[in-house]
Amino acid sequence: MPTTARPHPLLIQGGMGVAVSGWELARAVAGRGQLGVVSGTALDAVLARRLQLGDPGGHMRRALAAFPVPEAAAYVLDRYLVEGGVAPEERMRAMARLRVERGTDAQLLTVIGNFVEVWLAKEGHDGLVGVNYLAKIELATAPALFGAILAGVDHVLVGAGIPGQIPALASRLARAEPVTTLITVEGDEEPLPHTFDPRGGLMAQLPDGYDPLRRPEVLAIVSLPVLASYLVRDPATRPDGFVIETHRAGGHSAPPRGKLALDGAGEPVYGPRDHPDLAKVAALGIPFWLAGGAAHPERLAEARAAGAAGVQLGSAFALCQESGLRDDLRTELRARARAGTLRVRNDPRASPTAFPFKVAELPGTLSDETVRAARRPVCDLGYLRTPARAANGSLVYRCAAEPIAAYVRKGGDAVDTTGRMCLCNGLLATVGLGQRRPGGAVEPPVVTLGQDLGFLDHLSPDGRPYSAAQVIDWMTGADASAQTP
């Protein structure tokens, strides 16, 4: 089914964390005429754990009832749904992991998890909904994207790497055709081909000509025009648009160009070479949006004057009432920001991906060295694992945030583990889906935000909660003074 051309949104609500930009936030934004985006990271775990918590509100079951292969949806329900929810001290059930050599169950849960999140975000309106992926998580991209396409996703946004494979993947998956992705394997000179069949396993029962299957528009998240220019050269890699994201944005960001230098606080130093030349971006003739410190009507006006279609906002939406952040964390973050005591550090070591990662310093979270030291290292989710070759030539999966002995045994250098955080477990805990450990302990959260929080002076000057609608109205000038009573 061809995609009907629609006006470009002024605002893109960015994909954030694991379920911080969940279906409720994306639906609220899309319902107001802007692009609402769900985070596509770890949606298999999000679905499985929501079901194990009893599926409050019945939202997961409502979306699963719409899945086009009822047998597959029933399989997931039978495996993970716990009526009334697991006991407070009970551990969440483990899930299969995606692998190059096998992983049918993991692929199925990835497909369905993405379908559920996008379907719920699109429910009840005709606005635009997108999904955000990390190019770094290569094994998940094809099954995740297929699940989103099954639900009718309008846009796919991809950052944290080079998203050159995505445009062609989107076209083939929209036809439910098998696709081959190239998986980077540390120690190999060439990437490893990996095939995903949308009709494999239980998905073989997907009806022919299932409707709607349409190709979403692809927005590549890049930091500089040089990568944008590279992607537009070949029709196979050419996206439909760009998000030009600076290092002030939350989550992962590109490292500085050239040799890494750190300031006195241990943060990467960015220079003139790291500031995008917007004239070069505009000359490419493709729509683009600016991100990173863009949460102000003046920034939107400046972006439009520079040729951009609009801006992407993250933190302003992360702290609104519809975001997936735990209420206690959201409240404390707003209070500390208002008091001037909140620091967001661009940590070059926190993420196992080796990309700098913004960490909000908050007691009781992984930003606290005491909390981090007390956590028993464990890698039981593995989304940021990297395929690598062991000394004997076998394929292994390792992550610099896993237990050091395991990492070294798989051929990793112990130096790489210094300062790393388990973002997989930490980000799930941030939205109330943390794993329970022996003795009643729950995984501590980790919070990421952008480094520009001045929007709170306008949206929440007295510390009160605010809504996604208020963010949109303030940015577009519809109602700059409305406050939640």
Side-chain angles (χ1 to χ4, degrees):
M1 177 184 294
T3 302
T4 302
R6 302 174 71 170
H8 298 304
L10 281 176
L11 305 179
I12 297 176
Q13 165 255 306
M16 298 173 284
V18 172
V20 170
S21 51
W23 64 268
E24 291 174 291
L25 174 57
R27 189 169 70 176
V29 173
R32 294 296 295 257
Q34 306 303 326
L35 176 54
V37 179
V38 298
S39 170
T41 303
L43 285 178
D44 53 343
V46 170
L47 172 60
R49 292 189 177 180
R50 284 173 174 164
L51 289 172
Q52 289 174 81
L53 292 176
D55 187 20
H59 304 299
M60 303 300 102
R61 282 168 287 185
R62 188 171 70 255
L64 285 169
F67 192 70
V69 183
E71 295 82 1
Y75 173 79
V76 170
L77 277 172
D78 290 344
R79 188 170 182 82
Y80 294 106
L81 179 62
V82 178
E83 295 288 354
V86 296
E89 69 281 356
E90 189 175 348
R91 187 180 186 276
M92 300 281 194
R93 184 170 186 169
M95 301 170 301
R97 303 193 198 190
L98 292 166
R99 296 176 178 272
V100 172
E101 63 275 20
R102 61 185 185 277
T104 303
D105 282 357
Q107 287 181 342
L108 178 63
L109 190 57
T110 300
V111 169
I112 297 179
N114 280 262
F115 173 90
V116 165
E117 200 75 9
V118 172
W119 188 91
L120 288 169
K122 290 185 69 67
E123 185 183 24
H125 64 86
D126 61 357
L128 294 173
V129 169
V131 63
N132 178 275
Y133 298 123
L134 302 180
K136 172 72 176 178
I137 309 180
E138 295 173 325
L139 284 170
T141 301
L145 180 53
F146 182 62
I149 288 174
L150 279 176
V153 75
D154 300 291
H155 291 73
V156 55
L157 299 86
V158 186
I162 300 176
Q165 301 183 67
I166 308 302
L169 281 180
S171 297
R172 292 185 64 87
L173 289 172
R175 299 190 295 267
E177 297 174 355
V179 295
T180 298
T181 53
L182 299 178
I183 308 300
T184 303
V185 178
E186 290 187 16
D188 286 3
E189 293 184 2
E190 299 292 333
L192 190 65
H194 176 65
T195 299
F196 166 69
D197 183 357
R199 295 182 180 272
L202 286 174
M203 292 301 295
Q205 300 178 59
L206 180 70
D208 291 333
Y210 178 73
D211 184 33
L213 279 185
R214 68 175 183 271
R215 182 192 184 276
E217 292 196 8
V218 176
L219 303 184
I221 303 173
V222 300
S223 60
L224 293 170
V226 63
L227 178 53
S229 299
Y230 166 77
L231 291 171
V232 301
R233 291 174 187 170
D234 188 336
T237 62
R238 184 184 180 95
D240 300 289
F242 290 104
V243 175
I244 309 299
E245 187 176 81
T246 73
H247 63 274
R248 301 290 290 178
H252 290 96
S253 56
R257 299 184 74 183
K259 186 177 180 180
L260 179 65
L262 304 179
D263 62 18
E267 299 188 36
V269 176
Y270 291 84
R273 297 174 64 197
D274 301 301
H275 296 286
D277 185 334
L278 298 184
K280 290 183 178 179
V281 179
L284 297 175
I286 292 180
F288 68 96
W289 289 258
L290 302 186
H296 195 284
E298 290 182 1
R299 304 290 88 75
L300 174 59
E302 291 168 1
R304 297 277 290 168
V311 296
Q312 174 177 286
L313 309 181
S315 300
F317 286 115
L319 295 178
C320 79
Q321 287 302 97
E322 293 92 341
S323 94
L325 272 175
R326 281 175 15 196
D327 286 341
D328 60 320
L329 294 174
R330 186 168 48 222
T331 299
E332 186 169 2
L333 287 164
R334 284 200 306 261
R336 285 177 174 268
R338 183 165 174 254
T341 59
L342 179 63
R343 182 189 176 209
V344 178
R345 184 168 184 268
N346 193 18
D347 193 326
R349 300 290 303 175
S351 174
T353 66
F355 286 98
F357 185 76
K358 308 299 185 311
V359 179
E361 296 187 345
L362 209 59
T365 71
L366 288 174
S367 66
D368 186 327
E369 289 188 15
T370 303
V371 173
R372 200 158 61 245
R375 178 186 180 270
R376 183 176 69 86
V378 61
C379 183
D380 53 356
L381 291 168
Y383 294 104
L384 299 181
R385 295 178 307 155
T386 300
R389 290 292 174 190
N392 63 2
S394 63
L395 191 63
V396 296
Y397 299 83
R398 65 188 184 214
C399 175
E402 71 182 333
I404 297 175
Y407 185 72
V408 172
R409 186 172 62 250
K410 298 172 188 175
D413 189 334
V415 173
D416 296 337
T417 67
T418 303
R420 305 299 187 192
M421 297 182 188
C422 181
L423 297 186
C424 298
N425 276 294
L427 290 173
L428 276 163
T430 301
V431 294
L433 296 174
Q435 182 60 283
R436 290 90 177 273
R437 300 300 181 194
V442 179
E443 281 282 352
V446 59
V447 178
T448 181
L449 285 174
Q451 292 183 303
D452 294 296
L453 301 175
F455 58 83
L456 288 172
D457 293 338
H458 304 274
L459 292 170
S460 181
D462 53 5
R464 286 190 289 175
Y466 63 91
S467 68
Q470 285 175 261
V471 178
I472 295 169
D473 289 348
W474 173 59
M475 286 293 298
T476 60
D479 184 357
S481 62
Q483 284 286 306
T484 300

